[in-house]
């Protein structure tokens, strides 16, 4: 680790806390939204099929507009860009509940997803830069804070739903509160700007080759995560005859397992390195998938899903960290990896369902198990590059703006 003066060490600790708070706010938006989807469906008067179509639009918006984040960061600087993009994301929470029909809902969810994706790239790029300067892993913990925020947001949304609160009011209040919290958190993140005269990144560009390879590893992890989150409860109920309570508990346990593993993951990464950590996680996820496939009853399957949660938890944070050190433009590489992982999250639920229609859910989770094994084979691409001696901003080659 490069020596840092005492004052700079304190600044970096504050920056780490600030970016962790940003991740938490970002996750809280998702949690508040997810719990009110049934209300939004009823208010907009859409069928189940129409809702399924509408829920594809956040991923479409994210995938299309995430590459813009690098250009925004280059022009305005890392802190200002994150502040603006995070505000767009928190305010976008209010849009879906206001939609009166399926067309408006699709448009609202497109904007919701686009703002989510751009803010996601900006905060991950700043997280990678903070990690580089600290000289130790923090990305897993940052994604753990996102999960904590999602759980807190889900709890708030569950309470609002239980009280029968109109989702329009709930989301307007939540958007206002989270916007204020997000603005406060952004004040403490690193303030970095591109070097004078540096060329701006392209507004839209194909992901660099390095991001494609890293993204494939993230694809496997997110596919297993999305399949487990969306189908674990159905698997326990339909394949193993589990009760409704056990099915719901399985999904909750999977989420909590991932959050705990991400919060603890940085210590494991610092001790064993990214490659060994991902290989070990791949082994756990593969064993978990096998337990799910051969499970004679709900208890064994729940153990399998828990192992999969442990196994895939740190892969995406490490993929973002590897992308941020893979080339001269961290934001562009991170956007490329994020696009691939978002695509995986988009297709996983429908792919599992389509394959189950033709065969069975057991066969579908056999595919998940094979992809989990891919983490073992592909872990080496996440090997951490040497920590940069000359600091580089998330916008590309840049010099830091020294803060008082």
């Amino acid at each position: 680790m490069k020596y840092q003066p005492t004052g700079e060490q304190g600044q970096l600790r504050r920056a780490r806390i600030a970016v962790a708070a940003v991740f938490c706010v970002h996750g809280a938006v998702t949690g508040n939204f997810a719990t009110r989807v049934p209300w939004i469906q009823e208010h907009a008067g859409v069928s189940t099929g129409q809702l399924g179509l509408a829920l594809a639009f956040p991923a479409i918006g994210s995938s299309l507009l995430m590459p813009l984040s690098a250009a925004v960061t280059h022009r305005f600087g890392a802190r200002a860009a994150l502040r603006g993009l995070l505000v767009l994301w928190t305010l976008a929470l209010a849009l879906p509940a206001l939609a009166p029909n399926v067309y408006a809902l699709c448009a609202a969810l497109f904007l919701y997803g686009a703002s989510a994706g751009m803010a996601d790239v900006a905060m991950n790029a700043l997280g990678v830069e903070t990690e580089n300067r600290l000289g130790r892993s923090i990305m897993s913990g940052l994604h753990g804070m996102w999960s904590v925020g999602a759980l807190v947001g889900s709890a708030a949304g569950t309470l609002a739903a239980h009280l029968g609160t109109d989702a329009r009011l709930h989301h307007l209040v939540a958007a206002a509160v989270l916007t204020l919290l997000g603005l406060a958190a952004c004040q403490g993140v690193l303030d970095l700007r591109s070097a004078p005269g540096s060329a701006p990144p392209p507004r839209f560009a194909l992901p660099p080759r390095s991001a494609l390879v890293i993204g494939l590893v993230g694809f496997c992890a997110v596919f297993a995560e999305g399949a487990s989150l969306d189908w674990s409860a159905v698997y326990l109920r339909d394949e193993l005859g589990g009760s409704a309570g056990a099915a719901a508990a399985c999904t909750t346990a999977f989420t909590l397992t991932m959050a705990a593993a991400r919060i603890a993951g940085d210590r494991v990464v610092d001790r064993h390195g990214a490659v060994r950590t991902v290989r070990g996680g791949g082994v756990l996820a593969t064993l978990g998938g096998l337990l799910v496939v051969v499970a004679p009853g709900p208890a064994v399957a729940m153990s399998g899903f828990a192992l999969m949660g442990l196994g895939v938890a740190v892969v995406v944070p490490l993929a973002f960290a590897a992308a941020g050190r893979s080339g001269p433009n961290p934001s562009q590489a991170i956007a490329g990896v994020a696009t691939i992982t978002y695509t995986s999250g988009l297709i996983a639920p429908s792919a599992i369902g389509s394959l189950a229609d033709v065969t069975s859910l057991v066969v579908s989770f056999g595919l998940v198990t094979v992809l989990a094994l891919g983490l073992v084979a592909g872990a080496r691409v996440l090997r951490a590059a040497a920590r940069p001696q000359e600091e580089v901003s998330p916008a590309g080659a840049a010099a830091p703006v020294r803060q008082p």
Side-chain angles (χ1 to χ4, degrees):
M1 173 180 174
K2 185 174 69 173
Y3 173 74
Q4 301 282 358
T6 302
E8 191 168 355
Q9 286 181 334
Q11 182 188 46
L12 289 174
R13 285 195 292 268
R14 291 191 294 272
R16 178 187 179 182
I17 293 171
V19 75
V22 168
F23 271 77
C24 193
V25 168
H26 195 285
V29 176
T30 300
N32 273 284
F33 167 73
T35 53
R36 304 313 304 271
V37 169
W39 189 98
I40 293 170
Q41 178 185 10
E42 183 178 354
H43 173 72
V46 300
S47 66
T48 302
Q50 290 173 326
L51 178 64
L53 173 65
L55 290 175
F57 275 80
I60 294 171
S62 295
S63 299
L64 290 177
L65 293 185
M66 274 190 294
L68 280 177
S69 184
V72 174
T73 300
H74 176 87
R75 179 171 181 177
F76 297 104
R79 181 188 290 172
L82 179 61
R83 184 189 296 124
L85 294 174
L86 189 64
V87 166
L88 286 178
W89 167 231
T90 54
L91 293 179
L93 172 61
L95 296 179
L98 301 175
N101 54 54
V102 66
Y103 303 106
L105 181 60
C106 289
L109 289 175
F110 180 90
L111 295 174
Y112 172 88
S115 59
M118 289 190 292
D120 191 282
V121 171
M123 71 187 192
N124 273 287
L126 263 173
V128 170
E129 177 62 16
T130 305
E131 177 178 274
N132 288 342
R133 293 187 176 205
L134 283 168
R136 55 192 174 88
S137 177
I138 66 169
M139 288 300 291
S140 180
L142 293 181
H143 282 253
M145 289 304 298
W146 188 96
S147 297
V148 169
L151 288 170
V152 172
S154 296
T158 300
L159 177 61
H162 178 72
L163 295 176
T165 306
D166 188 305
R168 290 169 293 188
L169 175 61
H170 163 211
H171 283 173
L172 283 171
V173 172
V177 171
L178 292 173
T179 297
L180 293 176
L181 292 175
L183 286 171
C186 288
Q187 286 300 108
V189 303
L190 294 175
D191 189 11
L192 308 170
R193 296 180 185 276
S194 298
S198 61
R203 293 181 178 178
F204 293 98
L206 292 174
R209 185 177 301 175
S210 59
L212 291 175
V213 179
I214 295 168
L216 288 177
V217 177
F219 181 96
C220 294
V222 173
F223 194 99
E225 178 183 347
S228 298
L229 282 173
D230 289 348
W231 288 98
S232 58
V234 178
Y235 191 94
L236 257 68
R237 184 194 64 193
D238 293 353
E239 295 292 332
L240 301 174
S243 66
C250 183
T251 303
T252 302
F254 180 86
T255 304
L256 290 172
T257 299
M258 286 200 66
R262 282 178 170 169
I263 290 173
D266 290 319
R267 292 183 180 180
V268 179
V269 174
D270 283 333
R271 181 170 182 177
H272 300 288
V275 175
R276 287 185 178 180
T277 300
V278 172
R279 281 179 179 158
V283 170
L284 287 177
T286 302
L287 290 175
L290 289 173
L291 281 178
V292 170
V293 170
V294 303
V300 175
M302 290 178 73
S303 299
F305 283 117
L307 281 177
M308 277 203 285
L310 285 173
V312 305
V314 301
V315 177
V316 171
L318 291 178
F320 282 131
R325 293 191 288 269
S326 67
N329 195 320
S331 285
Q332 186 179 348
I334 289 171
V337 170
T339 299
I340 296 169
T341 56
Y342 269 66
T343 301
S344 179
L346 172 64
I347 69 173
S350 59
I352 292 296
S354 298
L355 183 57
D357 281 341
V358 177
T359 55
S360 70
L361 276 175
V362 174
V363 174
S364 294
F365 275 93
L367 172 62
V368 173
T369 304
V370 172
L371 290 176
L373 188 60
L375 298 176
V376 180
R380 67 182 182 277
V381 305
L382 301 186
R383 190 179 305 278
R387 303 286 180 186
Q389 295 299 311
E390 182 175 344
E391 282 134 353
V392 178
S393 87
V401 175
R402 297 294 179 189
Q403 302 174 9

